[in-house]
Amino acid sequence: MAKNYSSEISNPLSSNHEDYLKAIYILETRGEQVTNSVLSEYIGYTPASATNMVKKLAQMDLVIYRPHQAVALTPTGRRVALEILRHHRLLELFLHKTLDIPWDSVHEEAERLEHVISEALEDAIAASLGYPKVDPHGDPIPSKNGEVSHTPGHPLSQSEAGRTYRLVRVLSQEKERLAYLGELGLHLNAEVHLREQAPFDGPMLVEVAGEEHALAADMAALLQVVPASAE
Amino acid sequence: MAKNYSSEISNPLSSNHEDYLKAIYILETRGEQVTNSVLSEYIGYTPASATNMVKKLAQMDLVIYRPHQAVALTPTGRRVALEILRHHRLLELFLHKTLDIPWDSVHEEAERLEHVISEALEDAIAASLGYPKVDPHGDPIPSKNGEVSHTPGHPLSQSEAGRTYRLVRVLSQEKERLAYLGELGLHLNAEVHLREQAPFDGPMLVEVAGEEHALAADMAALLQVVPASAE
DNA sequence: AATAGTTTTTAGCCATGGCTAAATTGTATC
DNA sequence: GATACAATTTAGCCATGGCTAAAAACTATT
Ligand SMILES: [Mn+2]
Ligand SMILES: [Mn+2]
Ligand SMILES: [Mn+2]
Ligand SMILES: [Mn+2]
C-alpha cells in the first residue's frame, strides 16, 4: 500500500501544487473541460501563472499537458488530488463535530490545514470520527485508496411539490450562502417540506423546522435532497 | 485587544519567519546569548541564511540587529513568538488528549500546524481543553495576551535519594528520548521514587510504576520534578 | 480564405529565501 | 601591536512561483 504519493515524486509538492491538482480534479468531476482559463479563474491566478504551473505538473507526470488542450490528471495526479481532498473533507468534519466550528467556516480553515497533516494524523482523525463517508456539506470523503462513493439525491429545484425531503448535500462552499442556509435551519440532514414551486423558475416555498421560507430557484438548485421516507 | 500581530506588519510572515522568531525566543529564555551561530545551528540553516533572515526581521521591527552582536526580540517580535508558541503547545496537548497522538510525535506535527491555524481555531482548541496551562511535556502555554506562567520543579538529578517525586516537565523534544521515557512510564505527572544516586555523576536508580530502572545522569537532568506530597 | 476576436503561450521581470565562497570583522595569544 | 583563528557578513548564484505585456495560435464570421 503506497501511502505517500510525494515519495514517488522527486521534489515535494508545495501547497499550491496540491491546490492546483485538487482544482483540476474538481473541475473534471464537474464535467467541465479544464481549459487554462477555467482553471486560472477557479484557482485565482493569472492564465500565465496557470500555464506555468501546469507545465511543471506535467514534468512531474501529474497531469497531461498538450498546448491549447484541456489539462487532464494522470493516475498519479488523481491519487494526489484525492489524498488532499480526503484531508480537506475529513478536516472539515472534524473541525465541525469535534470543535463546533460552524459549517460555513470549516472550508477556509481546511484549505490550509489539508497541506500540513501527516498520514498518522489523517488516520487518527478518521478513526476518531468513525471512518465517516461525507463531510458537513454532504460531499463524499474519498477513501484511503482513492475511492469516492457516489452520493445520492437530486436538486430540490427539480422535486415534487407537496412532499418532504431530507437535505443530503449542498453544492456550494460560499461562506455567506452557507451561513444563510444555516439560519433557515437548512443544515445537513434537515427535513424540508416543499409546499410549492412558482412557475418560470420562480422561488420555492419550503417549510423547515416549522417555519416557512421562500427560496430562490438557483439556491434550491444547490440543495441535493432525497425523499424523507427513504431513510 | 490586538489579536493578529501580523496586521501590524506590512507583509505577512512566512512559516520560516515565525520559526526564527520562536527560536530566538526559546534561546533567549534559555539564557543563551543569541549569536548568529547559535541561532543558525538551532534553526538548521547556514549562518549566511540566518544573517539574511535576521536582517529582514529587523526591517520589520521584530528584532534588534546590530552587526556582530546577539539578536534580541523587540516587544512586537516577542508577541509574535509567544503567539506561535501558544499555537504550538495548545496543538501538542490537543493532538495528545483528543486524538491520542503519542507525546513523542506531537512536536513535529505541531511544528507545521502552528503556522496555519486561525485565531478562531486557536480559541476553539483552548476552550475544548478547558484553557490549559501546560502542554504534554509540562512546557507552559503562553496566555492569549502573552503571559508565560513560571513552572515549578527542579531536576531529578539534583534531588534527594529516598524520596518520591512527581514529574512536572521534560526539557527535551527529542522523539527517541521521549519514546524511551514513555516506555519507562515516565510521562507527565508520573510518580518517581528516587532510590539512589551513584557518585561521580553516575546513573540514578529510580522506581516507576513498581518497576526499577537506571537513568543516566544527563537524562535525569532533563526531568523536572516536585515532591510527590506537594500536590 | 481573410479578418476579427478570444484564448493560450512566451518572454522577461521581480521578490523570496535558500546556498557557497570570499571578504571582513572581532577576539585571543604571543 | 602583530598575528592567528573564529565568527560574521557580503557578494553573488539559484530555484520557485507569482506578475505584465507581447506574441502566437486557435475559432468564428463573413
Ligand atoms: Mn489548500
Ligand atoms: Mn465540504
Ligand atoms: Mn514551525
Ligand atoms: Mn512541548
mmCIF file with all atom_site columns, all heavy atoms in Angstrom, chain A residues 110-126:
data_model
loop_
_atom_site.group_PDB
_atom_site.id
_atom_site.type_symbol
_atom_site.label_atom_id
_atom_site.label_alt_id
_atom_site.label_comp_id
_atom_site.label_asym_id
_atom_site.label_entity_id
_atom_site.label_seq_id
_atom_site.pdbx_PDB_ins_code
_atom_site.Cartn_x
_atom_site.Cartn_y
_atom_site.Cartn_z
_atom_site.occupancy
_atom_site.B_iso_or_equiv
_atom_site.pdbx_formal_charge
_atom_site.auth_seq_id
_atom_site.auth_comp_id
_atom_site.auth_asym_id
_atom_site.auth_atom_id
_atom_site.pdbx_PDB_model_num
ATOM 1   N N   . ALA A 1 110 ? -9.835  24.373 6.567  1.00 0.00 ? 110 ALA A N   1
ATOM 2   C CA  . ALA A 1 110 ? -9.322  23.119 5.997  1.00 0.00 ? 110 ALA A CA  1
ATOM 3   C C   . ALA A 1 110 ? -8.424  23.391 4.783  1.00 0.00 ? 110 ALA A C   1
ATOM 4   O O   . ALA A 1 110 ? -7.506  22.613 4.494  1.00 0.00 ? 110 ALA A O   1
ATOM 5   C CB  . ALA A 1 110 ? -10.477 22.212 5.600  1.00 0.00 ? 110 ALA A CB  1
ATOM 6   N N   . GLU A 1 111 ? -8.690  24.479 4.101  1.00 0.00 ? 111 GLU A N   1
ATOM 7   C CA  . GLU A 1 111 ? -7.913  24.819 2.903  1.00 0.00 ? 111 GLU A CA  1
ATOM 8   C C   . GLU A 1 111 ? -6.421  24.958 3.218  1.00 0.00 ? 111 GLU A C   1
ATOM 9   O O   . GLU A 1 111 ? -5.569  24.657 2.378  1.00 0.00 ? 111 GLU A O   1
ATOM 10  C CB  . GLU A 1 111 ? -8.467  26.122 2.307  1.00 0.00 ? 111 GLU A CB  1
ATOM 11  C CG  . GLU A 1 111 ? -8.115  26.378 0.868  1.00 0.00 ? 111 GLU A CG  1
ATOM 12  C CD  . GLU A 1 111 ? -8.500  25.215 -0.034 1.00 0.00 ? 111 GLU A CD  1
ATOM 13  O OE1 . GLU A 1 111 ? -9.682  24.819 -0.101 1.00 0.00 ? 111 GLU A OE1 1
ATOM 14  O OE2 . GLU A 1 111 ? -7.585  24.678 -0.681 1.00 0.00 ? 111 GLU A OE2 1
ATOM 15  N N   . ARG A 1 112 ? -6.109  25.384 4.433  1.00 0.00 ? 112 ARG A N   1
ATOM 16  C CA  . ARG A 1 112 ? -4.703  25.498 4.827  1.00 0.00 ? 112 ARG A CA  1
ATOM 17  C C   . ARG A 1 112 ? -4.207  24.229 5.518  1.00 0.00 ? 112 ARG A C   1
ATOM 18  O O   . ARG A 1 112 ? -3.099  23.771 5.269  1.00 0.00 ? 112 ARG A O   1
ATOM 19  C CB  . ARG A 1 112 ? -4.508  26.692 5.773  1.00 0.00 ? 112 ARG A CB  1
ATOM 20  C CG  . ARG A 1 112 ? -4.804  28.046 5.137  1.00 0.00 ? 112 ARG A CG  1
ATOM 21  C CD  . ARG A 1 112 ? -4.474  29.186 6.098  1.00 0.00 ? 112 ARG A CD  1
ATOM 22  N NE  . ARG A 1 112 ? -5.142  29.035 7.381  1.00 0.00 ? 112 ARG A NE  1
ATOM 23  C CZ  . ARG A 1 112 ? -6.373  29.472 7.640  1.00 0.00 ? 112 ARG A CZ  1
ATOM 24  N NH1 . ARG A 1 112 ? -7.055  30.098 6.711  1.00 0.00 ? 112 ARG A NH1 1
ATOM 25  N NH2 . ARG A 1 112 ? -6.898  29.292 8.830  1.00 0.00 ? 112 ARG A NH2 1
ATOM 26  N N   . LEU A 1 113 ? -5.046  23.675 6.391  1.00 0.00 ? 113 LEU A N   1
ATOM 27  C CA  . LEU A 1 113 ? -4.624  22.506 7.174  1.00 0.00 ? 113 LEU A CA  1
ATOM 28  C C   . LEU A 1 113 ? -4.364  21.279 6.301  1.00 0.00 ? 113 LEU A C   1
ATOM 29  O O   . LEU A 1 113 ? -3.486  20.468 6.595  1.00 0.00 ? 113 LEU A O   1
ATOM 30  C CB  . LEU A 1 113 ? -5.701  22.167 8.214  1.00 0.00 ? 113 LEU A CB  1
ATOM 31  C CG  . LEU A 1 113 ? -5.850  23.154 9.368  1.00 0.00 ? 113 LEU A CG  1
ATOM 32  C CD1 . LEU A 1 113 ? -7.163  22.938 10.105 1.00 0.00 ? 113 LEU A CD1 1
ATOM 33  C CD2 . LEU A 1 113 ? -4.682  23.007 10.339 1.00 0.00 ? 113 LEU A CD2 1
ATOM 34  N N   . GLU A 1 114 ? -5.130  21.133 5.239  1.00 0.00 ? 114 GLU A N   1
ATOM 35  C CA  . GLU A 1 114 ? -5.042  19.942 4.379  1.00 0.00 ? 114 GLU A CA  1
ATOM 36  C C   . GLU A 1 114 ? -3.627  19.652 3.877  1.00 0.00 ? 114 GLU A C   1
ATOM 37  O O   . GLU A 1 114 ? -3.307  18.511 3.578  1.00 0.00 ? 114 GLU A O   1
ATOM 38  C CB  . GLU A 1 114 ? -5.976  20.102 3.168  1.00 0.00 ? 114 GLU A CB  1
ATOM 39  C CG  . GLU A 1 114 ? -5.599  21.283 2.282  1.00 0.00 ? 114 GLU A CG  1
ATOM 40  C CD  . GLU A 1 114 ? -6.613  21.582 1.175  1.00 0.00 ? 114 GLU A CD  1
ATOM 41  O OE1 . GLU A 1 114 ? -7.610  20.855 1.048  1.00 0.00 ? 114 GLU A OE1 1
ATOM 42  O OE2 . GLU A 1 114 ? -6.391  22.584 0.447  1.00 0.00 ? 114 GLU A OE2 1
ATOM 43  N N   . HIS A 1 115 ? -2.790  20.689 3.827  1.00 0.00 ? 115 HIS A N   1
ATOM 44  C CA  . HIS A 1 115 ? -1.446  20.522 3.256  1.00 0.00 ? 115 HIS A CA  1
ATOM 45  C C   . HIS A 1 115 ? -0.398  20.123 4.288  1.00 0.00 ? 115 HIS A C   1
ATOM 46  O O   . HIS A 1 115 ? 0.732   19.811 3.922  1.00 0.00 ? 115 HIS A O   1
ATOM 47  C CB  . HIS A 1 115 ? -1.004  21.819 2.576  1.00 0.00 ? 115 HIS A CB  1
ATOM 48  C CG  . HIS A 1 115 ? -1.990  22.334 1.590  1.00 0.00 ? 115 HIS A CG  1
ATOM 49  N ND1 . HIS A 1 115 ? -2.262  21.699 0.402  1.00 0.00 ? 115 HIS A ND1 1
ATOM 50  C CD2 . HIS A 1 115 ? -2.815  23.409 1.629  1.00 0.00 ? 115 HIS A CD2 1
ATOM 51  C CE1 . HIS A 1 115 ? -3.197  22.372 -0.257 1.00 0.00 ? 115 HIS A CE1 1
ATOM 52  N NE2 . HIS A 1 115 ? -3.552  23.409 0.472  1.00 0.00 ? 115 HIS A NE2 1
ATOM 53  N N   . VAL A 1 116 ? -0.725  20.188 5.545  1.00 0.00 ? 116 VAL A N   1
ATOM 54  C CA  . VAL A 1 116 ? 0.312   20.002 6.568  1.00 0.00 ? 116 VAL A CA  1
ATOM 55  C C   . VAL A 1 116 ? 0.056   18.853 7.529  1.00 0.00 ? 116 VAL A C   1
ATOM 56  O O   . VAL A 1 116 ? 0.848   18.643 8.450  1.00 0.00 ? 116 VAL A O   1
ATOM 57  C CB  . VAL A 1 116 ? 0.551   21.300 7.386  1.00 0.00 ? 116 VAL A CB  1
ATOM 58  C CG1 . VAL A 1 116 ? 0.971   22.435 6.471  1.00 0.00 ? 116 VAL A CG1 1
ATOM 59  C CG2 . VAL A 1 116 ? -0.680  21.694 8.184  1.00 0.00 ? 116 VAL A CG2 1
ATOM 60  N N   . ILE A 1 117 ? -1.012  18.107 7.353  1.00 0.00 ? 117 ILE A N   1
ATOM 61  C CA  . ILE A 1 117 ? -1.226  16.998 8.285  1.00 0.00 ? 117 ILE A CA  1
ATOM 62  C C   . ILE A 1 117 ? -0.509  15.744 7.782  1.00 0.00 ? 117 ILE A C   1
ATOM 63  O O   . ILE A 1 117 ? -0.429  15.489 6.586  1.00 0.00 ? 117 ILE A O   1
ATOM 64  C CB  . ILE A 1 117 ? -2.722  16.710 8.546  1.00 0.00 ? 117 ILE A CB  1
ATOM 65  C CG1 . ILE A 1 117 ? -3.435  16.221 7.284  1.00 0.00 ? 117 ILE A CG1 1
ATOM 66  C CG2 . ILE A 1 117 ? -3.413  17.946 9.098  1.00 0.00 ? 117 ILE A CG2 1
ATOM 67  C CD1 . ILE A 1 117 ? -4.844  15.723 7.544  1.00 0.00 ? 117 ILE A CD1 1
ATOM 68  N N   . SER A 1 118 ? 0.015   14.982 8.722  1.00 0.00 ? 118 SER A N   1
ATOM 69  C CA  . SER A 1 118 ? 0.718   13.758 8.374  1.00 0.00 ? 118 SER A CA  1
ATOM 70  C C   . SER A 1 118 ? -0.277  12.642 8.124  1.00 0.00 ? 118 SER A C   1
ATOM 71  O O   . SER A 1 118 ? -1.461  12.755 8.438  1.00 0.00 ? 118 SER A O   1
ATOM 72  C CB  . SER A 1 118 ? 1.648   13.362 9.519  1.00 0.00 ? 118 SER A CB  1
ATOM 73  O OG  . SER A 1 118 ? 0.876   12.924 10.617 1.00 0.00 ? 118 SER A OG  1
ATOM 74  N N   . GLU A 1 119 ? 0.245   11.568 7.589  1.00 0.00 ? 119 GLU A N   1
ATOM 75  C CA  . GLU A 1 119 ? -0.557  10.363 7.375  1.00 0.00 ? 119 GLU A CA  1
ATOM 76  C C   . GLU A 1 119 ? -1.117  9.868  8.711  1.00 0.00 ? 119 GLU A C   1
ATOM 77  O O   . GLU A 1 119 ? -2.297  9.499  8.810  1.00 0.00 ? 119 GLU A O   1
ATOM 78  C CB  . GLU A 1 119 ? 0.346   9.298  6.756  1.00 0.00 ? 119 GLU A CB  1
ATOM 79  C CG  . GLU A 1 119 ? -0.366  8.186  6.081  1.00 0.00 ? 119 GLU A CG  1
ATOM 80  C CD  . GLU A 1 119 ? -1.054  8.646  4.800  1.00 0.00 ? 119 GLU A CD  1
ATOM 81  O OE1 . GLU A 1 119 ? -0.815  9.799  4.348  1.00 0.00 ? 119 GLU A OE1 1
ATOM 82  O OE2 . GLU A 1 119 ? -1.835  7.870  4.253  1.00 0.00 ? 119 GLU A OE2 1
ATOM 83  N N   . ALA A 1 120 ? -0.282  9.894  9.747  1.00 0.00 ? 120 ALA A N   1
ATOM 84  C CA  . ALA A 1 120 ? -0.710  9.422  11.070 1.00 0.00 ? 120 ALA A CA  1
ATOM 85  C C   . ALA A 1 120 ? -1.862  10.278 11.608 1.00 0.00 ? 120 ALA A C   1
ATOM 86  O O   . ALA A 1 120 ? -2.822  9.757  12.179 1.00 0.00 ? 120 ALA A O   1
ATOM 87  C CB  . ALA A 1 120 ? 0.464   9.453  12.042 1.00 0.00 ? 120 ALA A CB  1
ATOM 88  N N   . LEU A 1 121 ? -1.759  11.576 11.395 1.00 0.00 ? 121 LEU A N   1
ATOM 89  C CA  . LEU A 1 121 ? -2.820  12.454 11.899 1.00 0.00 ? 121 LEU A CA  1
ATOM 90  C C   . LEU A 1 121 ? -4.099  12.248 11.098 1.00 0.00 ? 121 LEU A C   1
ATOM 91  O O   . LEU A 1 121 ? -5.197  12.208 11.666 1.00 0.00 ? 121 LEU A O   1
ATOM 92  C CB  . LEU A 1 121 ? -2.360  13.916 11.840 1.00 0.00 ? 121 LEU A CB  1
ATOM 93  C CG  . LEU A 1 121 ? -3.318  14.969 12.376 1.00 0.00 ? 121 LEU A CG  1
ATOM 94  C CD1 . LEU A 1 121 ? -3.870  14.598 13.742 1.00 0.00 ? 121 LEU A CD1 1
ATOM 95  C CD2 . LEU A 1 121 ? -2.636  16.321 12.441 1.00 0.00 ? 121 LEU A CD2 1
ATOM 96  N N   . GLU A 1 122 ? -3.952  12.114 9.790  1.00 0.00 ? 122 GLU A N   1
ATOM 97  C CA  . GLU A 1 122 ? -5.123  11.809 8.956  1.00 0.00 ? 122 GLU A CA  1
ATOM 98  C C   . GLU A 1 122 ? -5.828  10.570 9.494  1.00 0.00 ? 122 GLU A C   1
ATOM 99  O O   . GLU A 1 122 ? -7.057  10.573 9.665  1.00 0.00 ? 122 GLU A O   1
ATOM 100 C CB  . GLU A 1 122 ? -4.678  11.571 7.508  1.00 0.00 ? 122 GLU A CB  1
ATOM 101 C CG  . GLU A 1 122 ? -5.793  11.112 6.581  1.00 0.00 ? 122 GLU A CG  1
ATOM 102 C CD  . GLU A 1 122 ? -5.263  10.452 5.307  1.00 0.00 ? 122 GLU A CD  1
ATOM 103 O OE1 . GLU A 1 122 ? -4.301  10.976 4.715  1.00 0.00 ? 122 GLU A OE1 1
ATOM 104 O OE2 . GLU A 1 122 ? -5.815  9.402  4.914  1.00 0.00 ? 122 GLU A OE2 1
ATOM 105 N N   . ASP A 1 123 ? -5.069  9.526  9.767  1.00 0.00 ? 123 ASP A N   1
ATOM 106 C CA  . ASP A 1 123 ? -5.660  8.274  10.266 1.00 0.00 ? 123 ASP A CA  1
ATOM 107 C C   . ASP A 1 123 ? -6.327  8.470  11.623 1.00 0.00 ? 123 ASP A C   1
ATOM 108 O O   . ASP A 1 123 ? -7.422  7.956  11.868 1.00 0.00 ? 123 ASP A O   1
ATOM 109 C CB  . ASP A 1 123 ? -4.578  7.194  10.384 1.00 0.00 ? 123 ASP A CB  1
ATOM 110 C CG  . ASP A 1 123 ? -4.047  6.782  9.017  1.00 0.00 ? 123 ASP A CG  1
ATOM 111 O OD1 . ASP A 1 123 ? -4.667  7.131  8.001  1.00 0.00 ? 123 ASP A OD1 1
ATOM 112 O OD2 . ASP A 1 123 ? -2.995  6.116  8.979  1.00 0.00 ? 123 ASP A OD2 1
ATOM 113 N N   . ALA A 1 124 ? -5.658  9.219  12.491 1.00 0.00 ? 124 ALA A N   1
ATOM 114 C CA  . ALA A 1 124 ? -6.218  9.438  13.830 1.00 0.00 ? 124 ALA A CA  1
ATOM 115 C C   . ALA A 1 124 ? -7.540  10.195 13.743 1.00 0.00 ? 124 ALA A C   1
ATOM 116 O O   . ALA A 1 124 ? -8.497  9.895  14.465 1.00 0.00 ? 124 ALA A O   1
ATOM 117 C CB  . ALA A 1 124 ? -5.220  10.208 14.689 1.00 0.00 ? 124 ALA A CB  1
ATOM 118 N N   . ILE A 1 125 ? -7.593  11.170 12.844 1.00 0.00 ? 125 ILE A N   1
ATOM 119 C CA  . ILE A 1 125 ? -8.835  11.938 12.680 1.00 0.00 ? 125 ILE A CA  1
ATOM 120 C C   . ILE A 1 125 ? -9.942  11.042 12.150 1.00 0.00 ? 125 ILE A C   1
ATOM 121 O O   . ILE A 1 125 ? -11.063 11.029 12.665 1.00 0.00 ? 125 ILE A O   1
ATOM 122 C CB  . ILE A 1 125 ? -8.602  13.136 11.739 1.00 0.00 ? 125 ILE A CB  1
ATOM 123 C CG1 . ILE A 1 125 ? -7.721  14.177 12.421 1.00 0.00 ? 125 ILE A CG1 1
ATOM 124 C CG2 . ILE A 1 125 ? -9.930  13.749 11.298 1.00 0.00 ? 125 ILE A CG2 1
ATOM 125 C CD1 . ILE A 1 125 ? -7.260  15.297 11.509 1.00 0.00 ? 125 ILE A CD1 1
ATOM 126 N N   . ALA A 1 126 ? -9.609  10.258 11.126 1.00 0.00 ? 126 ALA A N   1
ATOM 127 C CA  . ALA A 1 126 ? -10.615 9.364  10.542 1.00 0.00 ? 126 ALA A CA  1
ATOM 128 C C   . ALA A 1 126 ? -11.134 8.387  11.590 1.00 0.00 ? 126 ALA A C   1
ATOM 129 O O   . ALA A 1 126 ? -12.348 8.174  11.716 1.00 0.00 ? 126 ALA A O   1
ATOM 130 C CB  . ALA A 1 126 ? -10.018 8.617  9.358  1.00 0.00 ? 126 ALA A CB  1
#
